[in-house]
Amino acid sequence: MPMRLATIDADYFADERDADLQVVGTPAPRADARGHVMGQTQYFEDVHYPGMTHLKMHRSTRHHALIRGVDTAPALEVPGVLRVLTWRDVPNNWYTILRLIGVEPDDEPVLAEDRVLYMGEPICAVVAETEAAAREGASRIRVDYEELPAVFDVEEALRPETIVVNPRHGHNYFTYEGHNCRRIRFGDIEKGFAEADQIFEFTYQSSPIEHAPLETTGCIVKPEADGRLKIHSDTQACYFTLDNTALTLGIPFNRLRVIGGTVGGGFGGKVDVMVEPIACIAAQLTNRPVKYVYSRAEEMQVSSPRAAERIIIKDGVTNDGRILARKITLYVDAGAYSRHSPYGTTKAAAHMPGPYTIPNVWVDAYCVYTNRTPSSAMRGFGVTIADFALESQMDRVAKALGIDPLVMRLQNAYRDGDMKAHRKLVEGAALIEVMQRAAELVEHELPAAYRAMSSTDGRGA
Amino acid sequence: MASTIVQLTVNGQDAEFLAKPGTTLLMALRENLGLTAAKRGCAQGTCGTCDVIVDGRVVPSCLIPVETIVGAAVETLEGLADGNALSPLQAAFVEGFATQCGFCTPGMLMSATALLAENPAPTRGDVVRAISGNVCRCTGYEAIVDAILDGAARARAASTAAAD
Amino acid sequence: MARLRGRGFAAVNYPTGMNLGGDPSQALIHSTTTGTFVITLSSVDLGQGLKTVVAQCAAETLGLPLEMILVDTADTDTGPHCMGTFASRGTHRVGNAVIMAAREAREIMLEVAAEELEVDAADLETDGTGFIKLKGSEEKKIHVVDLALAAHFKQGKTISGRGIFLKPKSEPVPETGEMDPDSCQAHACTVAEVEVDDETGIVEVLNMYNVYEMGRALNPAMAHQQIVGGAWMGISHALFETTEPYYPDRAHGPTDYSEYLMPGPADLAAMESVILERPAANGPYGGKGIGEMTANSPIPAIANAIYDACGVRVESMPFTPEKILRGLDALRTANA
């Protein structure tokens, strides 16, 4: 059976394509396929060391609570349990992953201290001879909680009277250079609405989504003869993991070595550096190899999901389909801690108002803290849910105006030389062409003027 | 409880090892026998990454206490190729770009192998049913289904050629 | 009761590279004694095929067959820095770093060949099969294996190269949001055709048409994998997936694959895909990153197709049967 392949339509942008390539542009066989089908590809968990110990976490059973006390003694009574680690065993307990690129403050503990901010938050790590003993030990730990009100809605979280979720921020939003949100201001939004024939305002919502890679997050840490730690990891970013782990351990960076590069699916879920620091501490304290792998349940409910977002789009349009003004209020539900959400929220703002040239744009993008599992990066970070909102909105406005939905998109599509809302000139645009080709594919009739449009015709605004 | 001596035939070879109570077939394969092709995706029988063939039936090895199948014939992905030569299914997966991250591949291939052993000329629907317990997060399944059908055709062509 | 059909469109763009830049990746490349070029990285392959595509970039730049390239990656003791595999940056960043390293190595390779052949390096070319030859001549040539041996044992030269790609970090202006977030943008238009069962509320995606502009499809087969796999994930996100089905209520979260719903192999839409290529000036051989965006446009395309089919405007993801049925009820009430 012939392999199904996408057609490459070289008629588009023919004069810009280099036709003289030998290897690039060919469907070269995947370098890793043979290993995959032979079962010889080595993932991190395929490494086995004699004397391997196992780490399991005792996690918060409350959404938001103060910790009155922790009793680890019952765990130590389980045969095979070697150590129970608490926050006191973590040299630098507070961190935020993006400290490596200057994001502040350090707002998350490796292990909870006096409070928990989400259900599933790690409190104690149990290291044992077997996985079963580690699991049993973790289940026997007793935590005395004093429950606090939990916040689950982004707009409720932003009300002044709402309890502060994360004391390190002092309020329930991330601060962008003195602002409570990432802002885009382009043109004069009120003037745009005033000039519009019609105004359309709609709200879009998503809920958290799991990456669900077949291989769960995990690592194996092996103390080496020279006193260094070798980390076999399924991280998506080896140095990100190494640098963050060394900072948490308070040791020189060159005491760690990360080996990885072959990962059973990531989709953004393996950039949070959740397992390596505590596994390294366990390996240091026991001087034994340590394996810490998320169970499927942990992967589903404790590892960072794609954030839930609420996006409100208000458009001012002319009756013939030109968008004159677009105001967007976007809330990213970051959960209890920052992780990558402050970055993703800025990325969402930069994506607005979509691939359209709109003279007046206003964006307020909030990164909001709530008492749920911290969200973080996922495939299409900052953009996937925004595109759901933007492209639903385009369809609704077109339908309301009685305009063909592709025609309205073509009318407003950005072209080379246009100015984006974040004040970067458009280059390399091809939105018009993908729509033209899609219309052709499904035999959707476009008026001649729209079939003749081009991203490169220099008629950008 | 004491450990048990477990005897199995694994990929045609006798295997004998000591298993602690509660050891799953998956753990036994990976840790006792060093056969790591079968993967632990969920450890609760819902993803198919640990699928192997036991006495002709494809099973999630994470759910089988190994002491309950003493004497069984177990086939894993490590036994699929003829030495260095890929089986028709394996070749079809490689050439059909049916792998991405590769983590579901061992289970997919074992499910497909069990299917072809029973039904050398499956329909598309047969293939879909056979891998309905195997989750893939990368490919969207289309290339995998195509590759299994292609592998079946290759295997039939090879057996016809051998008969001629 | 009826099964209602509808069609929906969505058109999107997606940025290549870490937002605001500041995300370098490096590559080192060297020839072994027998002319195999080893690319050393610390980059991660999540299954998208980075190891294959960077080898293609190196082979193209060196003018050698793909079989002469090895990729050795992701040991921080040996591999130079890479920011990581995310933000649709791998092909673009690592590809560019590898090309830069391969160019430097190629220059030395040609110098070594020039000395062996006693000609000027500027007059040499690679033939793609492993020979370095004098332009216009069939006789004056040397195979890369002999050339590498000569470099090591006769000329005392290292055939190697260093590469890095860095887009310097942009700092957004707090008041206006002025910033340079991306290296380039890829584009897509998705057309979804759905069938809505107005009795059960179940939505089935029958057909999906995907048109992608990705700069250059460096490996069309792997690009196709991303398109099809991403479209499947988009359908899955649109119709099934969430860890919190009653968001913002935190209860009833799924914990395994039997509770976390995704389409299986029996639920596939028929796909047809077309690739357009408008090379990016700063991309490796023009390539842009499409690994992430392929799940994006299917979602609104499906939402718009549902509206086209039955008049229900879904405003929250996922588009569950319950939401469709409630929408249909609301329409009936409004029309009554």
Side-chain angles (χ1 to χ4, degrees):
Chain A
M1 176 186 292
M3 187 178 50
R4 298 182 207 197
L5 270 182
T7 308
I8 296 182
D9 189 338
D11 289 346
Y12 286 80
F13 308 109
D15 54 337
E16 296 184 39
R17 292 173 77 252
D18 179 0
D20 195 29
L21 298 176
Q22 305 296 314
V23 187
V24 161
T26 66
R30 293 185 62 111
D32 53 6
R34 186 184 169 86
H36 290 345
V37 302
M38 295 285 274
Q40 290 176 325
T41 301
Q42 196 176 69
Y43 301 84
F44 87 89
E45 209 185 348
D46 297 332
V47 174
H48 188 75
Y49 291 112
M52 188 116 79
T53 66
H54 300 263
L55 188 151
K56 289 286 168 191
M57 206 57 89
H58 180 86
R59 299 181 177 282
S60 165
T61 57
R62 303 291 194 273
H63 296 295
H64 194 189
L66 296 174
I67 295 176
R68 292 279 196 194
V70 177
D71 184 7
T72 59
L76 290 164
E77 288 164 14
V78 175
V81 168
L82 300 167
R83 295 279 304 221
V84 178
L85 311 181
T86 69
W87 64 269
R88 291 183 182 83
D89 295 300
V90 184
N92 296 311
N93 196 38
W94 287 86
Y95 74 107
T96 193
I97 302 153
L98 287 178
R99 59 186 166 182
L100 299 181
I101 59 167
V103 172
E104 294 176 328
D106 289 339
D107 72 344
E108 181 166 6
V110 174
L111 295 176
E113 295 186 1
D114 66 333
R115 65 187 65 217
V116 288
L117 307 190
Y118 68 96
M119 186 177 283
E121 179 158 6
I123 301 172
C124 299
V126 178
V127 190
E129 297 282 358
T130 66
E131 216 177 324
R135 204 180 297 118
E136 178 64 21
S139 74
R140 290 203 193 177
I141 287 172
R142 290 291 165 254
V143 178
D144 182 16
Y145 296 103
E146 178 185 327
E147 221 150 331
L148 296 171
V151 185
F152 292 119
D153 184 83
V154 283
E155 288 180 83
E156 183 198 330
L158 291 178
R159 285 186 205 116
E161 69 273 18
T162 303
I163 189 169
V164 170
V165 169
N166 187 323
R168 297 260 166 158
H169 291 278
H171 36 61
N172 292 332
Y173 55 83
F174 180 80
T175 307
Y176 291 97
E177 296 100 21
H179 293 298
N180 61 355
C181 61
R182 172 63 70 201
R183 300 152 52 126
I184 306 278
R185 300 288 184 268
F186 183 67
D188 182 339
I189 194 78
E190 292 310 324
K191 183 164 158 281
F193 285 135
E195 288 171 0
D197 295 321
Q198 299 196 50
I199 306 282
F200 296 97
E201 182 173 357
F202 299 108
T203 300
Y204 305 90
Q205 176 75 51
S206 72
S207 49
I209 291 173
E210 160 58 17
H211 309 81
L214 266 294
E215 177 200 49
T216 61
T217 302
C219 68
I220 290 170
V221 180
K222 163 91 167 37
E224 294 286 87
D226 59 4
R228 300 168 74 215
L229 296 173
K230 184 164 77 180
I231 306 169
H232 298 273
S233 168
D234 59 6
T235 176
Q236 292 181 222
C238 292
Y239 275 95
F240 229 70
T241 294
L242 187 152
D243 294 350
N244 263 307
T245 303
L247 290 173
T248 294
L249 269 61
I251 59 173
F253 298 94
N254 66 13
R255 305 313 290 159
L256 300 177
R257 174 186 185 187
V258 175
I259 297 176
T262 300
V263 176
F267 310 105
K270 292 171 178 167
V271 289
D272 280 355
V273 198
M274 300 313 296
V275 290
E276 293 87 354
I278 194 68
C280 282
I281 292 165
Q284 282 178 325
L285 292 175
T286 60
N287 200 32
R288 302 249 314 252
V290 175
K291 184 197 276 200
Y292 178 23
V293 187
Y294 276 2
S295 69
R296 182 51 59 186
E298 285 176 308
E299 191 72 32
M300 289 263 176
Q301 286 292 322
V302 174
S303 80
S304 307
R306 183 196 290 287
E309 292 180 39
R310 183 171 304 158
I311 303 174
I312 300 152
I313 306 179
K314 181 179 175 183
D315 283 346
V317 300
T318 62
N319 284 331
D320 62 358
R322 277 292 300 172
I323 307 172
L324 299 182
R326 175 167 277 180
K327 184 175 185 177
I328 293 169
T329 311
L330 183 150
Y331 304 96
V332 169
D333 190 336
Y337 298 107
S338 289
R339 305 229 176 135
H340 291 81
S341 290
Y343 160 93
T345 307
T346 294
K347 188 172 174 183
H351 186 62
M352 297 302 182
Y356 302 106
T357 295
I358 300 173
N360 305 292
V361 176
W362 168 299
V363 181
D364 281 348
Y366 296 86
C367 173
V368 185
Y369 300 103
T370 64
N371 290 110
R372 56 169 35 82
T373 305
S375 63
S376 199
M378 186 174 177
R379 187 183 205 171
F381 198 20
V383 174
T384 302
I385 309 303
D387 280 348
F388 160 57
L390 289 166
E391 286 301 285
S392 295
Q393 178 82 3
M394 292 302 287
D395 207 64
R396 293 176 94 160
V397 174
K399 288 269 154 56
L401 297 175
I403 300 175
D404 177 285
L406 276 188
V407 165
M408 185 169 147
R409 287 179 174 89
L410 288 163
Q411 278 179 317
N412 293 283
Y414 71 0
R415 308 185 202 189
D416 288 2
D418 286 357
M419 182 61 79
K420 295 185 185 182
H422 55 260
R423 293 172 175 76
K424 185 177 176 180
L425 281 175
V426 175
E427 51 183 314
L431 191 76
I432 287 171
E433 287 74 11
V434 292
M435 287 194 275
Q436 289 167 330
R437 191 64 182 81
E440 194 185 318
L441 201 56
V442 298
E443 296 174 4
H444 179 90
E445 199 73 34
L446 285 177
Y450 293 93
R451 288 203 303 275
M453 280 174 75
S454 164
S455 294
T456 62
D457 65 6
R459 286 165 52 197
Chain B
M1 281 190 288
S3 293
T4 318
I5 296 172
V6 175
Q7 290 168 307
L8 298 171
T9 307
V10 180
N11 300 325
Q13 309 239 315
D14 290 340
E16 191 175 279
F17 54 91
L18 206 57
K20 292 192 179 111
T23 301
T24 64
L25 174 57
L26 177 65
M27 286 161 68
L29 289 170
R30 291 179 58 85
E31 289 165 25
N32 297 70
L33 302 176
L35 298 171
T36 56
K39 301 294 178 219
R40 175 166 73 169
C42 71
Q44 54 198 160
T46 63
C47 78
T49 58
C50 68
D51 281 356
V52 299
I53 296 170
V54 176
D55 292 334
R57 278 185 56 221
V58 65
V59 294
S61 61
C62 72
L63 294 185
I64 311 283
V66 73
E67 67 259 48
T68 66
I69 57 160
V70 170
V74 178
E75 296 165 62
T76 73
L77 181 57
E78 283 93 342
L80 207 55
D82 182 4
N84 201 24
L86 298 182
S87 76
L89 268 173
Q90 288 170 313
F93 267 60
V94 171
E95 289 168 34
F97 284 81
T99 66
Q100 285 190 37
C101 85
F103 213 77
C104 75
T105 308
M108 289 287 181
L109 280 167
M110 296 321 287
S111 289
T113 299
L115 168 70
L116 298 196
E118 264 187 20
N119 178 2
T123 63
R124 198 169 185 85
D126 296 333
V127 172
V128 163
R129 260 188 301 282
I131 62 165
S132 61
N134 297 87
V135 178
C136 172
R137 188 59 159 161
C138 302
T139 66
Y141 297 101
E142 184 183 270
I144 294 172
V145 176
D146 286 349
I148 294 171
L149 289 167
D150 183 27
R154 289 174 191 231
R156 290 195 303 274
S159 65
T160 309
D164 283 349
Chain C
M1 297 299 150
R3 293 160 80 85
L4 307 165
R5 289 201 176 193
R7 175 189 278 177
F9 296 92
V12 301
N13 59 336
Y14 197 83
T16 292
M18 195 165 122
N19 190 55
L20 304 174
D23 58 325
S25 284
Q26 293 192 36
L28 298 175
I29 188 164
H30 81 276
S31 167
T32 65
T33 52
T34 48
T36 290
F37 283 74
V38 182
I39 304 168
T40 313
L41 309 166
S42 70
S43 307
V44 174
D45 199 329
L46 304 175
Q48 82 279 28
L50 187 79
K51 290 169 190 165
T52 308
V53 83
V54 298
Q56 286 181 265
C57 287
E60 187 71 50
T61 308
L62 290 163
L64 294 173
L66 198 51
E67 299 72 44
M68 303 302 286
I69 313 293
L70 290 179
V71 177
D72 172 13
T73 194
D75 179 341
T76 56
D77 272 8
T78 55
H81 174 262
C82 172
M83 199 79 175
T85 299
F86 50 81
S88 298
R89 64 181 300 287
T91 294
H92 188 275
R93 269 44 172 168
V94 187
N96 272 323
V98 165
I99 290 168
M100 181 178 169
R103 279 199 187 119
E104 190 172 301
R106 179 187 167 96
E107 208 167 298
I108 302 164
M109 177 176 80
L110 295 183
E111 280 167 21
V112 172
E115 195 165 322
E116 290 303 299
L117 297 172
E118 297 177 336
V119 297
D120 195 290
D123 298 329
L124 292 172
E125 63 183 8
T126 44
D127 74 349
T129 74
F131 284 99
I132 291 85
K133 59 192 271 288
L134 186 65
K135 287 174 192 163
S137 161
E138 283 312 311
E139 294 80 45
K140 261 221 171 319
K141 63 180 180 182
I142 182 168
H143 195 269
V144 67
V145 173
D146 301 317
L147 179 156
L149 285 166
H152 279 83
F153 299 107
K154 214 166 115 193
Q155 298 186 23
K157 276 189 182 144
T158 303
I159 306 178
S160 63
R162 303 154 298 166
I164 184 166
F165 184 89
L166 171 66
K167 177 182 184 288
K169 192 179 180 196
S170 159
E171 300 290 347
V173 176
E175 301 307 319
T176 62
E178 179 174 347
M179 58 181 137
D180 179 1
D182 54 2
S183 288
C184 48
Q185 294 273 342
H187 301 89
C189 183
T190 295
V191 188
E193 290 174 349
V194 306
E195 194 169 75
V196 180
D197 186 321
D198 71 355
E199 190 170 5
T200 63
I202 288 172
V203 176
E204 190 182 346
V205 181
L206 304 173
N207 297 295
M208 190 159 274
Y209 303 89
N210 317 294
V211 181
Y212 277 83
E213 183 282 312
M214 58 178 75
R216 192 79 200 226
L218 304 186
N219 182 318
M222 294 197 306
H224 184 70
Q225 288 188 305
Q226 289 299 325
I227 292 172
V228 174
W232 172 87
M233 187 183 276
I235 293 169
S236 189
H237 277 18
L239 299 179
F240 298 105
E241 292 185 41
T242 180
T243 55
E244 299 185 36
Y246 298 93
Y247 181 89
D249 187 330
R250 191 65 188 83
H252 302 289
T255 56
D256 66 36
Y257 285 113
S258 61
E259 294 172 332
Y260 190 81
L261 303 182
M262 301 187 287
D267 309 314
L268 306 184
M271 302 256 184
E272 193 172 342
S273 306
V274 176
I275 293 170
L276 311 183
E277 298 181 315
R278 187 176 189 199
N282 58 28
Y285 293 102
K288 302 173 179 177
I290 63 148
E292 295 181 272
M293 70 182 298
T294 49
N296 293 354
S297 50
I299 302 168
I302 291 166
N304 297 336
I306 291 170
Y307 180 84
D308 189 49
C310 68
V312 172
R313 176 54 66 182
V314 280
E315 293 178 323
S316 74
M317 293 167 56
F319 317 143
T320 58
E322 179 184 340
K323 289 176 190 169
I324 304 293
L325 290 177
R326 287 187 192 282
L328 287 168
D329 280 351
L331 282 178
R332 285 189 200 103
T333 308
N335 293 338

